[in-house]
Amino acid sequence: MGPDPHLKWIVSGMVFMQLLACYLVKDLSWKWIFFWAYGFGGCINHSLTLAIHDISHNVAFGNKQAKWNRWFAVFANLPIGIPYSASFKKYHIDHHRYLGGDSLDVDIPTDFEGWFFCTPLRKLLWLFLQPLFYSLRPLYVNPKAITQMEIFNALVQFSVDLIIYYLWGLKPVIYLIAGTILCLGLHPISGHFIAEHYMFLKGYETYSYYGPLNWLTFNVGYHMEHHDFPSIPGCRLPMVKKIAAEYYDNLPHHQSWIRVLWDFVFDDSIGPYSRVKRLCKLAKES
């Protein structure tokens, strides 16, 4: 456990790479804006959302510098185009503390999602709309008061968006936001959303993935290991699996996030309802 000394430098490089990309795409045609948003910028932005996930566990600067982690998450948020980091932190703690908890874990799809998105075409649409459901579901399932950090996150984010617009026009702003929306939706990296906790095998609600896309996602694929030890940064999770191989090697895991998406869409036994949902004491009392 402890901070990852390299995380702040990797994330800073990614942020500045996206700012450079904003300058480079300012004169491109719209078709190339969306092409590069999906094929390049969105991949970086999705990776930054997973860096923010790691930072929410205080692994950038350590638990003793919690505020530094919050502020750095706001910095990592900048290329995403939409304020995200402060709200994510607020709800992600509940995901670990009350995994699958009714009205507490907002990662669980609503009853409407499970009922409506039940055919291959509708499940494909649901995957495409994942960013919308992930952003709006908390407001319906478990609304919380807006925090000062969320206001700060929004003010900083929209100020930078306006600066980019003033300097280089609308296209770089669309490049950033479109990349975020497209690559958090129907995209190979987004397979991790489904792979992590959807019950592909009865009795198993958390799965790891040990493939090459972990290189782009701060090892979020090591998800069983992460839920066992959330204070260990992503860079050290492979070490956890190696040290405790007898606990992880025989558990079911995914080989491909693309295969996960394919099975989710075309396997009738898998859908938004394929999650373990449990009643927690706090949920009963509220």
Side-chain angles (χ1 to χ4, degrees):
M1 297 182 186
D4 174 2
H6 305 296
L7 182 61
K8 56 184 175 291
W9 305 115
I10 295 171
V11 169
S12 297
M14 294 167 71
V15 170
F16 289 118
M17 186 184 300
Q18 279 291 71
L19 292 177
L20 175 62
C22 285
Y23 172 77
L24 295 175
V25 304
K26 64 185 176 66
D27 297 320
L28 295 180
S29 64
W30 283 109
K31 68 178 181 181
W32 288 111
I33 292 289
F34 286 102
F35 172 84
W36 288 112
Y38 186 81
F40 176 74
C43 297
I44 294 179
N45 283 3
H46 196 142
S47 184
L48 282 170
T49 67
L50 296 169
I52 289 170
H53 164 259
D54 249 21
I55 297 165
S56 75
H57 291 285
N58 293 334
V59 301
F61 296 96
N63 287 319
K64 293 182 179 179
Q65 304 289 348
K67 280 293 183 183
W68 288 27
N69 286 284
R70 301 293 80 74
W71 295 331
F72 188 64
V74 171
F75 172 73
N77 196 146
L78 296 180
I80 295 170
I82 303 165
Y84 163 83
S85 65
S87 298
F88 175 83
K89 166 66 176 178
K90 183 171 70 174
Y91 283 102
H92 189 63
I93 297 301
D94 288 342
H95 171 66
H96 277 270
R97 186 175 296 162
Y98 307 109
L99 180 62
D102 188 22
S103 299
L104 291 170
D105 184 0
V106 296
D107 197 46
I108 299 286
T110 62
D111 288 338
F112 170 77
E113 292 171 73
W115 168 77
F116 184 79
F117 296 100
C118 57
T119 66
L121 187 60
R122 291 181 186 179
K123 287 191 283 185
L124 193 67
L125 177 63
W126 185 80
L127 291 174
F128 182 77
L129 296 176
Q130 268 196 111
L132 180 66
F133 287 115
Y134 267 85
S135 59
L136 296 181
R137 191 187 299 135
L139 304 178
Y140 170 75
V141 173
N142 188 16
K144 296 184 178 184
I146 296 174
T147 65
Q148 288 186 337
M149 184 55 73
E150 285 178 294
I151 295 172
F152 175 72
N153 187 189
L155 288 175
V156 171
Q157 184 63 57
F158 292 135
S159 296
V160 171
D161 289 347
L162 285 172
I163 291 170
I164 292 173
Y165 174 75
Y166 176 78
L167 290 175
W168 300 316
L170 180 63
K171 287 181 178 179
V173 178
I174 296 299
Y175 160 80
L176 293 177
I177 297 175
T180 297
I181 294 173
L182 291 172
C183 287
L184 289 174
L186 193 59
H187 190 276
I189 296 177
S190 291
H192 79 87
F193 288 122
I194 307 300
E196 289 166 0
H197 297 296
Y198 282 77
M199 198 162 56
F200 283 76
L201 291 175
K202 191 171 182 179
Y204 295 91
E205 65 174 313
T206 301
Y207 300 79
S208 285
Y209 155 79
Y210 301 119
L213 288 178
N214 278 304
W215 286 88
L216 302 177
T217 57
F218 298 92
N219 285 328
V220 75
Y222 287 77
H223 216 67
M224 289 183 290
E225 294 84 350
H226 170 64
H227 271 264
D228 286 344
F229 304 100
S231 294
I232 294 180
C235 66
R236 299 188 192 125
L237 290 177
M239 193 186 306
V240 173
K241 182 180 184 297
K242 183 177 180 180
I243 292 171
E246 66 272 24
Y247 292 99
Y248 296 110
D249 284 354
N250 294 321
L251 291 174
H253 58 272
H254 294 292
Q255 303 287 346
S256 164
W257 281 340
I258 295 175
R259 178 60 187 268
V260 165
L261 294 173
W262 178 274
D263 289 344
F264 179 82
V265 171
F266 294 107
D267 189 334
D268 291 337
S269 67
I270 304 171
Y273 267 143
S274 301
R275 290 291 300 265
V276 173
K277 190 174 183 180
R278 53 177 58 87
L279 290 175
C280 299
K281 282 187 177 182
L282 186 58
K284 289 179 181 177
E285 294 167 0
S286 61

